Amino acid sequence: MEQRVTDRVSICIPTRNRPALLRELLDTVFAQTYGNYEVIITDNSDNDETRDLVAGRYADPRVRYHKNETNLGMDGNARRAFSFITGEFFTFTADDDFWDADNLRRKVDLLRRVPEVNACFSNAHHILMDGRPHPQPFHSTLRPGMEAVIDGYYLNPVSLHVPPSPPLFVNTLTGLYRTAQFLAPMVESWECGSEEYAHWYLGLSGQRLGYLFDPLITIRDGEHNWEIQTGNGAVTNYRKSPETRAAQLNRIYTTLRARRGDELTKIDRQVELAVFTFLVEQIGQAAVQYIGSFPLITVADFNAYIQERNRRQAVQTRTAQS
C-alpha cells in the first residue's frame, strides 16, 4: 500500500472552462486556517485560461495542475484527480463552490479525535449560480455549533427515500475522507457517475460518520448539478432523461452488490424496495425491466410496498386536514 503523508489533505478539483468560478473557490482554499494540504486540479478545458490562472495567481508548491490531453468527461476527470492523491485525508469539491476559512481545520480535527469515523461532512449554505440565496436552501434541524457522530442510516437508500422522523438533513457534498479507507470506494463511485455510490456504501456498510452542523461550505445549484455521463461518454441532464437516471441508479446498486457485497451489512428487503421505488418514480412500470437486479424482492413485494405507502400517505393527509 502506498504511504500517505500524515495529516495532509489532498483537495481534488476537476474543472472545465470555469476559471472565474474556480478562482472564487481557490481564494477560499488559500484562506484556510489549516495549511497542510495539496491542491490537485485536473482540467478538461478546451482553452488555456484555467492553466494561465493557476500558473499566475496560484503559483504555489502545494498546487498540482494537470491539463488533460483530451476531454475525459466528468467521470474520468474526477478519477484522474484521485490518482494524484498523496494525503492521509482527501476531499472532492466542485469547482464552483467555496469554503468557510475553518472548513478543513474542523473536519480534520474531528477525524483525528474519532478514529472509527472515516468520513466527515458539514452543513452548507445553498445558493443559485448567480449568487442569490436558493429558494429551498439546505437546512438542519440541529442548532449551529453542534457536532455529532451519527449512524450511516442517514446515507442509507431507505432514509434517502423515506426521511427519518424528525427529519435530519445531512449534506454529503465536499466531505473529508480517510484516504486509506475511502479512496477506492470513491473511485468506484465515479465509475457510476457521481458521489452517490460512495454515500450509499457508507450507509449500507453500517459505518458512522462525523457531522458538523455549522455551514462550512457554500454550494451553487445549477443545471450542471443534474448532469450525468452515459455509457458512450455523452452528458445528459437526468431531470430531462429519466431513463438515464434509472439506469444510473440500477448501476449504482448492482455495482455496490458486486464489488462490496461482503461489507453491505444493512441490505435487506426494505432497502431493495426503496431503491426499486426510485426507479419506478423515474420511469413507472418500465422499471420492471430491472427487477432481476434485486434478488430480495419480487413484483408482488413491490406492489404491497406501494399499497402500504399509499395507505400511510392517506392517513397523514386525513390527519393534517382534521
Side-chain angles (χ1 to χ4, degrees):
M1 181 180 297
E2 182 180 350
Q3 184 68 34
R4 304 294 179 183
V5 179
T6 302
D7 292 332
R8 176 182 291 172
V9 176
S10 296
I11 303 168
C12 297
I13 311 174
T15 190
R16 181 178 185 272
N17 290 344
R18 301 207 290 191
L21 293 173
L22 178 64
R23 174 174 174 169
E24 289 188 52
L25 168 62
L26 290 177
D27 282 350
T28 64
V29 168
F30 280 92
Q32 291 296 296
T33 56
Y34 185 87
N36 189 0
Y37 60 79
E38 63 179 350
V39 180
I40 301 169
I41 300 170
T42 48
D43 185 11
N44 266 342
S45 296
D46 55 18
N47 58 61
D48 292 330
E49 292 180 14
T50 298
R51 183 197 65 184
D52 294 343
L53 170 71
V54 173
R57 186 177 179 87
Y58 305 106
D60 186 293
R62 291 174 294 183
V63 176
R64 303 168 66 193
Y65 172 83
H66 304 274
K67 178 71 176 287
N68 301 326
E69 293 184 2
T70 59
N71 188 335
L72 302 179
M74 295 181 296
D75 299 10
N77 204 19
R79 293 197 302 272
R80 189 170 191 225
F82 299 146
S83 73
F84 296 112
I85 286 174
T86 67
E88 178 184 3
F89 310 109
F90 77 96
T91 187
F92 170 83
T93 185
D95 60 1
D96 58 358
D97 297 339
F98 51 94
W99 299 357
D100 179 89
D102 274 342
N103 178 51
L104 289 184
R105 181 187 64 80
R106 291 189 57 189
K107 289 174 180 174
V108 169
D109 174 68
L110 189 144
L111 290 180
R112 283 173 173 162
R113 288 187 285 109
V114 191
E116 67 271 22
V117 165
N118 294 323
C120 179
F121 305 96
S122 75
N123 212 336
H125 296 295
H126 195 189
I127 64 175
L128 299 173
M129 287 303 295
D130 60 8
R132 289 179 294 138
H134 198 284
Q136 296 179 310
F138 293 155
H139 65 280
S140 168
T141 56
L142 299 185
R143 64 178 176 82
M146 293 181 64
E147 69 173 47
V149 175
I150 60 179
D151 196 297
Y153 170 85
Y154 294 106
L155 305 185
N156 181 312
V158 170
S159 63
L160 291 174
H161 182 64
V162 184
S165 181
L168 172 64
F169 174 80
V170 177
N171 167 54
T172 56
L173 298 175
T174 316
L176 186 69
Y177 306 95
R178 296 188 195 277
T179 302
Q181 288 78 15
F182 216 79
L183 179 57
M186 186 62 82
V187 171
E188 293 167 15
S189 194
W190 280 94
E191 293 173 2
C192 295
S194 77
E195 294 167 86
E196 198 167 10
Y197 171 105
H199 300 145
W200 285 18
Y201 165 70
L202 261 177
L204 292 175
S205 60
Q207 297 187 47
R208 308 197 79 198
L209 56 101
Y211 197 73
L212 303 170
F213 292 95
D214 283 334
L216 298 180
I217 58 174
T218 298
I219 295 171
R220 295 183 197 265
D221 195 352
E223 285 298 302
H224 66 285
N225 294 95
W226 311 103
E227 290 178 343
I228 57 177
Q229 205 163 348
T230 60
N232 64 5
V235 175
T236 302
N237 184 314
Y238 71 68
R239 289 193 297 187
K240 301 174 183 177
S241 178
E243 294 81 8
T244 300
R245 176 59 170 160
Q248 182 196 38
L249 290 169
N250 183 67
R251 183 181 180 189
I252 288 172
Y253 190 69
T254 56
T255 304
L256 268 174
R257 290 292 299 260
R259 296 196 182 183
R260 301 277 167 180
D262 292 344
E263 302 172 64
L264 305 182
T265 60
K266 299 298 182 180
I267 283 185
D268 56 18
R269 178 177 292 182
Q270 186 182 12
V271 166
E272 292 209 337
L273 284 168
V275 177
F276 193 65
T277 301
F278 284 169
L279 302 180
V280 173
E281 289 173 350
Q282 294 295 317
I283 56 175
Q285 292 303 311
V288 172
Q289 67 186 285
Y290 295 117
I291 194 69
S293 300
F294 303 91
L296 300 181
I297 64 171
T298 65
V299 174
D301 291 325
F302 171 70
N303 289 336
Y305 178 82
I306 293 299
Q307 291 172 4
E308 174 60 20
R309 186 186 67 169
N310 291 342
R311 184 195 67 79
R312 290 196 305 267
Q313 290 175 343
V315 170
Q316 292 171 354
T317 300
R318 289 196 298 270
T319 301
Q321 293 174 343
S322 63

